[in-house]
Amino acid sequence: MKSAGLPLLATAIAAASLFCGSATRVLAQQEFTKQMLLIPDFEGPNRGLAKKAADVVRSQMARGSNKREVEIVDQGDVETMLEKSGFNTDSSVMPSVRKTLIQRFRADEYLTGVVDRTKEGQVRIVARLILTRDEHMQQPLPAAIAGNVDAAATQLATSLRAARGQSMPQRRCENALRDGKLDRAMVAAREGIAAYPRSTITRACLLSAMINSGVAADSILSVARQILEVDPVNFRGLEGAALAHDAIGQRERAGEMWSRLVATDSDDVALVQHVVNALMSGGNNKIAEPLISRAAAMHPDSLQLVLLHSRVAYANRSWRAVIKTSEQLLAADSALSSLTVDSTLFLRLATAYKADSQPVKAVSVAARGVAAYPKDPKMYLLYTQLVRAEAEATLPRGLALFPKSAELLVLQAQEAKRAGNSKDALAASAKALELDPMLTHGYLQLAETQAVMGMIDSAYASLKKALAHKEDTALVAQAALSRGNALYKAANVTKSRDDYVRAMPFFMLADTLRPTPQSKFLRGATALSIAQSAASDAPKLKSCDLSKMAEDMLPVAQLGISQGGSIAPDAAKQYLDYIDQLVPIVQSQVKALCKN
C-alpha cells in the first residue's frame, strides 16, 4: 500500500545518494566473489587481552568458515606491513591505519572490537561487522561474555559466523537494488533476515528498497525501528526513521531522529548539510541552526555551507547571523554562479539590516535586489517599504504590478490618509484586510481612519478585531486611549452627555489592556461628566433612568480619579470634593424618582 509521503521519501533518498547506499560503486562485484575479512587487533585497557581475543577470533574464523566464501586476512601479513611502515604492532590500530590495511589487503569487510572485564571479572567483547564498500552498513554482534578470553572469543566467532549468514542474501538484495528490481531486492532481504534475525545490514537494504518502492511510511518506520532495536546508533535506521516520521507529519520525532543521525558523525560536512536541509523541510529550524553554524565556522571557505547557514538563520530571525553570512556571499560575487542564489539573498539581508536598525544599508541592498530581480514582487514590496519617502513614484507602480498585494494596499491607505483623503484610505485599508486579515497594524490603521470619518462605533469594533487578530495589546491600548481622549475633548466643547458616553468604551478598553494613571484619570473624569449631566437632567425630565445612570457613574468616577490623580493632583482633589457633594444629591434623586 502506498502513502502520500512516499514521493517525499523517495526524493529525499535520491537527493542524498551519499547516504542511501553505495550501490553504483560497489555492487558491480559478482554474487559469489570471495570476500576478504580483516580482523585487526581489538581495543581495550588490557592490550594483551585485546590482542589475544582478536587472535582467537581470527583463528576460529579461519578454521570454521567456508574458504570459498570468505578469507581471513593473515595477521602475520598485517604485522609485517605495519612493521615496514614503522607502526608499533603492540598498539591498537588507529582508524587511519585501519583504512590503509583495508586498501592494502582489499578487505571487503572488517571487524572492530573492544575487550574489557565486567564487574564480576568476566571477559567481555563488544564487536561489530562493517562493510568497507559502505561503512554505514554495520552489524553489531551480541556481546560475548565468558570466564576467560578464549571462551569469550570463541563465543564471538560463533556470533560472527551466524551474522555472516546474511551475506549472500544481502548481496543479492544490493544487486537487485542496483538493477532497479525492487521487489526482488525485498525478497532477497527478507531471506537474509530469516537467515539471521538480528540483521541490521540486510534490513538496511530492505529499507532502501521499500523507500524507493513507495511503501507506506508506517511500514518503513517499522523496519527502521527493528534496526534501531538492535543498533540504536545505526545510520540507516536513524535516517529511515527520520524520513518516515517527516512523511507522517511527526515533526518532533523526526527532529529527534535527525539529531541522533548527525551525532553519528558531526564532522561530516555532507551529512550535516543533508540533515540540516531535512530539518528545515520538516519545520525543525531551531534544531538546524546550531548544526549549520558549527559546520560553517569549521569550513568558512564553503559557500554552500554559508548559504545554508544564511537560510536557517533567517528562518529563525537570527539577524546578526543573516547579515554576516549574506555579506560573505555577496562579497564572493564571482563564486555565486556555482550556487543556487536568487532574490531571497537580497531580501534576507535587507530585512536583517532593517531589523538590526541599519536602515541606510537596508535601502541600499533592497535597491540592488530590485535591479537584479525586477519581476520579484516580494523584493519590490520590501524596497517600497524602505523608501516610503519616494512613495509618490514607487507606490502607484507597485500597485500596477501587484494589485493583490495587501501590504502595498496598506501603504496606499497611509498615503491617502496623509493627503487627507479619508474615503480612499478607508477603502484601501478594508481591501487590504480582506486580502490578509492578519496584516500587522491593519485593524489599527482602519480604526484610525474610521474615527477620522466619524464612524466611532466602527472604530471601536476594529480595535476589538485587532485584538482578535493577535495585534500587540500595548498598541491597541495606546490607540484606544488616544481616541478616547480626542472624544473626551470634543465632548467638553459640546457638553453633550452622549459624546461623553461615546468616549467611555475607549477608556475602558485602554484601562483593561494597559492600565496607566492617565487611562484611569480620564475614565474617572468621563464618568463624572456623565454623572453630572444625568443628575442635572433627571429632575427636569423626572427620569429614574437618568438618576440611576448618575448613581452608577459616581463610583466609577471616584475610583478612576483616585487611582489616576497623580497626573493632575489639584484637579483630582476638586473632582473628588465635587463627587462627595454630588453623591447625597443623586441618592435623593433616586429615592424620589425611582419609588417603584
Side-chain angles (χ1 to χ4, degrees):
M1 177 179 179
K2 299 192 176 186
S3 72
L6 169 60
L8 173 63
L9 290 177
T11 301
I13 286 294
S17 59
L18 178 62
F19 311 107
C20 296
S22 321
T24 56
R25 71 171 183 269
V26 298
L27 294 182
Q29 297 176 347
Q30 296 300 312
E31 179 178 3
F32 297 106
T33 300
K34 180 169 62 177
Q35 302 292 283
M36 296 296 294
L37 173 59
L38 174 67
I39 306 178
D41 287 345
F42 295 153
E43 298 180 16
N46 187 323
R47 289 300 307 139
L49 195 66
K51 183 174 178 60
K52 183 176 180 181
D55 288 339
V56 174
V57 173
R58 277 191 292 267
S59 175
Q60 292 277 351
M61 289 299 296
R63 287 200 305 268
S65 300
N66 185 337
K67 291 182 172 50
R68 289 180 300 177
E69 293 183 4
V70 61
E71 179 179 343
I72 312 304
V73 176
D74 185 84
Q75 183 63 10
D77 294 340
V78 170
E79 292 183 356
T80 298
M81 178 192 167
L82 291 175
E83 288 173 353
K84 288 182 177 179
S85 302
F87 292 106
N88 182 359
T89 58
D90 290 329
S91 63
S92 59
V93 177
M94 302 296 291
S96 58
V97 177
R98 184 172 62 215
K99 184 176 181 180
T100 301
L101 292 174
I102 289 170
Q103 293 173 345
R104 168 64 180 81
F105 295 103
R106 298 181 180 179
D108 303 288
E109 307 166 9
Y110 66 93
L111 189 72
T112 63
V114 177
V115 184
D116 61 7
R117 288 190 180 274
T118 66
K119 292 181 180 179
E120 295 77 18
Q122 291 184 300
V123 176
R124 175 174 54 195
I125 310 174
V126 177
R128 60 176 57 216
L129 178 66
I130 303 171
L131 306 187
T132 57
R133 59 184 177 271
D134 181 358
E135 294 192 346
H136 292 138
M137 303 291 275
Q138 301 188 7
Q139 178 65 61
L141 302 176
I145 302 174
N148 58 68
V149 67
D150 292 275
T154 299
Q155 187 183 129
L156 180 64
T158 301
S159 296
L160 178 55
R161 282 193 293 272
R164 293 203 75 262
Q166 66 184 304
S167 178
M168 287 303 178
Q170 158 65 13
R171 294 166 70 188
R172 294 188 189 104
C173 176
E174 288 183 340
N175 287 336
L177 193 61
R178 175 199 62 195
D179 296 336
K181 299 175 181 178
L182 303 177
D183 289 340
R184 185 177 297 180
M186 286 187 277
V187 170
R190 290 190 173 96
E191 290 174 355
I193 294 168
Y196 186 60
R198 279 177 49 85
S199 168
T200 55
I201 292 177
T202 307
R203 276 192 173 88
C205 187
L206 173 62
L207 199 60
S208 294
M210 292 174 71
I211 290 171
N212 286 284
S213 296
V215 174
D218 55 353
S219 297
I220 291 168
L221 184 58
S222 177
V223 174
R225 283 172 173 166
Q226 290 169 16
I227 295 173
L228 295 175
E229 284 175 5
V230 177
D231 186 10
V233 295
N234 187 278
F235 188 98
R236 301 292 179 210
L238 290 170
E239 184 181 44
L243 289 168
H245 281 303
D246 268 334
I248 295 171
Q250 297 171 339
R251 187 177 68 179
E252 289 186 7
R253 292 289 291 148
E256 177 191 342
M257 291 300 168
W258 287 121
S259 297
R260 286 172 58 183
L261 177 65
V262 80
T264 62
D265 190 356
S266 57
D267 292 329
D268 186 330
V269 172
L271 173 59
V272 172
Q273 285 181 286
H274 172 54
V275 169
V276 167
N277 280 313
L279 288 168
M280 289 283 287
S281 297
N284 282 302
N285 305 332
K286 295 295 183 183
I287 300 175
E289 186 166 2
L291 298 179
I292 189 60
S293 177
R294 177 179 179 274
M298 291 177 62
H299 305 275
D301 295 331
S302 172
L303 292 182
Q304 289 286 359
L305 289 178
V306 176
L307 178 60
L308 186 54
H309 188 192
S310 177
R311 290 170 177 164
V312 176
Y314 183 79
N316 289 332
R317 298 178 177 270
S318 301
W319 302 124
R320 292 295 176 91
V322 174
I323 291 172
K324 180 180 178 181
T325 53
S326 299
E327 285 179 341
Q328 187 175 345
L329 288 168
L330 290 176
D333 228 3
S334 60
L336 286 181
S337 59
S338 64
L339 301 174
T340 305
V341 174
D342 54 23
S343 62
T344 56
L345 176 60
F346 294 93
L347 281 166
R348 286 196 296 269
L349 183 54
T351 302
Y353 275 137
K354 180 182 178 183
D356 198 50
S357 302
Q358 300 186 63
V360 174
K361 288 186 177 181
V363 171
S364 175
V365 170
R368 183 176 171 185
V370 169
Y373 302 96
K375 294 185 178 181
D376 190 310
K378 292 183 178 179
M379 191 72 253
Y380 196 94
L381 170 63
L382 181 61
Y383 170 70
T384 305
Q385 290 173 327
L386 294 172
V387 294
R388 253 196 304 189
E390 299 179 21
E392 288 185 5
T394 60
L395 186 56
R397 185 165 64 246
L399 286 168
L401 289 170
F402 315 114
K404 292 186 177 182
S405 169
E407 292 84 354
L408 285 174
L409 284 166
V410 169
L411 290 181
Q412 182 188 36
Q414 293 171 350
E415 291 301 316
K417 180 185 173 184
R418 290 191 190 98
N421 190 339
S422 298
K423 184 178 179 180
D424 286 351
L426 182 65
S429 293
K431 186 176 179 181
L433 287 167
E434 181 181 345
L435 291 169
D436 185 1
M438 299 304 293
L439 275 171
T440 302
H441 310 329
Y443 280 102
L444 290 180
Q445 181 173 318
L446 179 63
E448 186 175 359
T449 304
Q450 289 168 331
V452 169
M453 296 181 69
M455 302 165 64
I456 303 304
D457 291 340
S458 296
Y460 181 80
S462 293
L463 290 180
K464 299 288 284 186
K465 286 182 180 179
L467 291 173
H469 288 84
K470 310 302 181 184
E471 186 60 80
D472 186 352
T473 55
L475 294 178
V476 177
Q478 182 181 355
L481 183 62
S482 175
R483 182 48 45 199
N485 196 27
L487 291 170
Y488 177 74
K489 289 179 179 178
N492 282 336
V493 174
T494 65
K495 302 300 181 182
S496 167
R497 181 171 59 253
D498 289 339
D499 289 344
Y500 286 117
V501 169
R502 294 169 78 193
M504 194 65 174
F506 292 92
F507 290 135
M508 293 174 66
L509 179 61
D511 197 42
T512 300
L513 295 176
R514 286 289 190 278
T516 63
Q518 185 180 15
S519 67
K520 293 182 181 302
F521 184 86
L522 289 173
R523 180 177 178 177
T526 303
L528 177 57
S529 296
I530 295 171
Q532 181 183 19
S533 174
S536 175
D537 289 345
K540 303 173 190 175
L541 301 175
K542 300 186 183 302
S543 172
C544 172
D545 290 339
L546 288 177
S547 64
K548 280 287 189 181
M549 177 185 288
E551 184 180 51
D552 292 339
M553 286 293 105
L554 285 175
V556 177
Q558 188 173 42
L559 180 63
I561 293 170
S562 297
Q563 292 179 337
S566 60
I567 66 169
D570 293 337
K573 185 178 183 306
Q574 292 177 10
Y575 285 162
L576 290 172
D577 289 342
Y578 180 69
I579 290 171
D580 289 339
Q581 298 173 24
L582 192 57
V583 167
I585 296 173
V586 170
Q587 289 175 343
S588 297
Q589 284 185 359
V590 171
K591 186 175 181 180
L593 298 174
C594 301
K595 295 180 180 180
N596 296 326

